[in-house]
Amino acid sequence: MGKRNLLVTGGAGFIGSHVVRLLVNKYLDYCIINLDKLTYAGNLANLRDIEHKPNYRFVRADICDYDKMQEVFATYKIDGVIHLAAESHVDRSIKDPFVFARTNVLGTLTLLQVAKEYWNGDYEGKRFYHISTDEVYGALDFDGTLFQETTKYDPHSPYSASKASSDHFVRAFHDTYGMPTIVTNCSNNYGPYQFPEKLIPLFINNIRHGRPLPVYGKGENVRDWLYVEDHARAIDLIFHRGRIAETYNIGGNNEWKNIDLIRVLIKEVDRQLGRPEGTSERLITYVTDRAGHDLRYAIDSSKLQRELGWKPQLCFEEGIEKTVSWYLENQEWLDDVTSGAYRQYYESMYHNR
Ligand code: NAD
Ligand code: TYD
């Protein structure tokens, strides 16, 4: 594979930081440009270990800023895009849907349009790869069915509605202008560097500090969990070998009812902290359910497994053990993001907001 100039958006976030790390370490002859607005969810501390590598660049910018995106494409001669930048938390989308429409829909459209203009019909060797979620498919029942690539879109939250809309724009740019696009829809990720508003890092942190664990509804909702590095490996594989205009589902084949997963977390955190088994069970607190809470997500990733030979490498027990130990060992990272200390640092460092 020759030299490439790859734009990764949202690379300072949870999944993006794992993707950037993998690409920077693996493709020494590529230039990896991480473009991120550094919202509350973006944190350059996620990339400390690779930020000085010669094949890595960071640009702080908003994907909705058309002129800036044009400048970035021209400056770095971008020939591939892996687009992860998004507002990503369902609960925030319920409180403020507009920012989700702005970033997820208009931001994606801006990138598509700028890439189209910059590539100007010469799509040889180009790729626009859009990272999406299984939540666009809506909710499944407890009947064993799985989301297929052909499952009809049926988003319920403002978050999933905005991601569904962005997916449609990406496909429309292929169908209308011949843009070389790929879309993947992945299940819930977990692992290091996830912002502690999402279930797993939030609960690990709360268990550590003896704080209540707010379980929505009866805790019966089901999610299909995938270790984030397995997702990053899938993204690398699909970016390089996936078929243009295709959709690939990515999932862990690893369904957990929330309350069962929470009990696993309690057991593992208590074990790693040397507390007697069951100590933190008392923290479980049932709270009012999330509005429009999707009952069950579960992915059929057999197309990806069949076509490209991908499968998750980490089993769930190992993934949870690694994840719990990472958060317990990185209390400073957690304290910084929960206190907002890292944001003050950026605001003093970057004045171009
Ligand atoms: P995240 O919230 O941790 O990170 C998002 C990143 O995007 C942050 O660094 C943020 O600063 C950046 N960003 C937000 N708005 C921006 C803007 N306007 N311009 C530039 N940068 C901006 O999210 P994540 O969990 O890493 O998810 C990454 C992508 O993967 C998202 O597109 C999400 O929809 C998708 N996804 C996530 C999951 C999951 O379980 N987390 C599962 C499937 C798909
Ligand atoms: P989350 O991590 O927000 O991911 P998503 O909503 O994208 O699936 O939530 C995972 C599941 O955990 C979801 O069913 C909602 C539930 N949940 C709680 O019960 N309590 C919480 O405090 C949070 C954040 C989530």
Side-chain angles (χ1 to χ4, degrees):
M1 183 70 63
K3 186 166 166 40
R4 299 196 74 152
N5 298 315
L6 266 191
L7 180 68
V8 180
T9 69
F14 166 48
I15 302 171
S17 63
H18 289 274
V19 171
V20 167
R21 176 174 297 101
L22 186 155
L23 296 173
V24 165
N25 286 329
K26 184 168 172 184
Y27 300 102
L28 303 184
D29 52 348
Y30 285 18
C31 184
I32 308 298
I33 298 102
N34 170 17
L35 185 145
D36 199 297
K37 184 180 175 183
L38 301 179
T39 67
Y40 79 94
N43 185 355
L44 291 178
N46 299 357
L47 291 164
R48 279 285 127 75
D49 53 322
I50 58 106
E51 67 188 1
H52 299 300
K53 301 254 176 168
N55 59 340
Y56 173 72
R57 305 279 183 282
F58 175 70
V59 179
R60 188 183 191 184
D62 185 335
I63 55 167
C64 302
D65 183 340
Y66 203 96
D67 295 344
K68 184 73 185 174
M69 293 308 105
Q70 283 186 315
E71 181 195 313
V72 167
F73 269 74
T75 304
Y76 294 101
K77 301 185 170 47
I78 299 300
D79 52 27
V81 178
I82 302 182
H83 174 38
L84 297 112
E87 290 291 336
S88 68
H89 189 43
V90 173
D91 293 327
R92 284 180 190 257
S93 82
I94 294 168
K95 291 200 187 89
D96 179 12
F98 282 93
V99 66
F100 284 72
R102 181 182 180 278
T103 287
N104 298 0
V105 186
L106 289 178
T108 301
L109 178 56
T110 303
L111 277 177
L112 284 164
Q113 183 70 14
V114 168
K116 177 172 93 67
E117 281 174 6
Y118 179 70
W119 291 337
N120 194 23
D122 175 11
Y123 293 136
E124 187 62 34
K126 313 291 195 307
R127 260 183 192 205
F128 190 107
Y129 176 6
H130 175 62
I131 308 299
S132 192
T133 166
D134 60 355
E135 306 193 21
V136 298
Y137 297 125
L140 296 165
D141 227 322
F142 293 130
D143 56 4
T145 49
L146 303 173
F147 294 133
Q148 318 283 330
E149 284 82 1
T150 49
T151 300
K152 189 168 81 61
Y153 273 32
D154 184 21
H156 297 145
S157 73
Y159 165 62
S160 53
S162 68
K163 291 297 289 187
S165 171
S166 64
D167 295 7
H168 290 320
F169 270 110
V170 173
R171 295 193 180 102
F173 266 63
H174 171 268
D175 296 349
T176 309
Y177 309 112
M179 281 259 291
T181 60
I182 298 185
V183 177
T184 55
N185 299 86
C186 188
S187 63
N188 287 60
N189 284 215
Y190 72 100
Y193 301 113
Q194 186 166 32
F195 195 84
E197 61 186 352
K198 306 274 168 66
L199 180 75
I200 290 184
L202 175 72
F203 277 36
I204 293 173
N205 201 28
N206 284 8
I207 297 165
R208 180 190 187 122
H209 293 290
R211 296 182 195 131
L213 306 174
V215 181
Y216 298 161
K218 294 185 178 146
E220 283 179 342
N221 305 65
V222 170
R223 299 292 183 262
D224 177 357
W225 293 94
L226 178 67
Y227 192 68
V228 62
E229 288 177 5
D230 278 322
H231 189 190
R233 282 192 311 103
I235 289 172
D236 172 26
L237 188 64
I238 293 164
F239 179 79
H240 289 97
R241 297 196 15 228
R243 287 185 292 135
I244 299 294
E246 288 292 324
T247 298
Y248 296 91
N249 279 352
I250 310 171
N253 194 20
N254 178 39
E255 290 181 50
W256 284 86
K257 200 182 265 197
N258 288 343
I259 191 63
D260 295 339
L261 170 63
I262 289 160
R263 294 216 154 91
V264 169
L265 287 176
I266 288 173
K267 200 168 164 197
E268 186 58 22
V269 176
D270 280 347
R271 187 187 72 77
Q272 291 197 22
L273 290 175
R275 296 173 179 162
E277 191 171 332
T279 304
S280 302
E281 289 273 335
R282 65 185 170 80
L283 301 175
I284 292 176
T285 310
Y286 291 94
V287 299
T288 310
D289 208 354
R290 173 187 278 172
H293 197 173
D294 286 334
L295 189 60
R296 174 174 165 260
Y297 304 143
I299 278 275
D300 178 354
S301 61
S302 57
K303 174 175 170 182
L304 173 60
Q305 307 207 13
R306 204 175 49 246
E307 280 193 20
L308 299 180
W310 174 89
K311 63 175 191 314
Q313 279 181 358
L314 231 74
C315 72
F316 191 59
E317 289 67 29
E318 211 183 325
I320 284 294
E321 191 187 327
K322 274 179 80 157
T323 302
V324 168
S325 80
W326 189 86
Y327 285 99
L328 295 183
E329 282 163 18
N330 287 275
Q331 190 60 44
E332 202 186 329
W333 181 92
L334 268 172
D335 289 345
D336 271 4
V337 297
T338 44
S339 72
Y342 70 111
R343 297 219 46 79
Q344 288 160 22
Y345 169 71
Y346 295 141
E347 296 324 323
S348 64
M349 220 174 119
Y350 298 99
H351 303 289
N352 59 342
R353 289 212 75 185

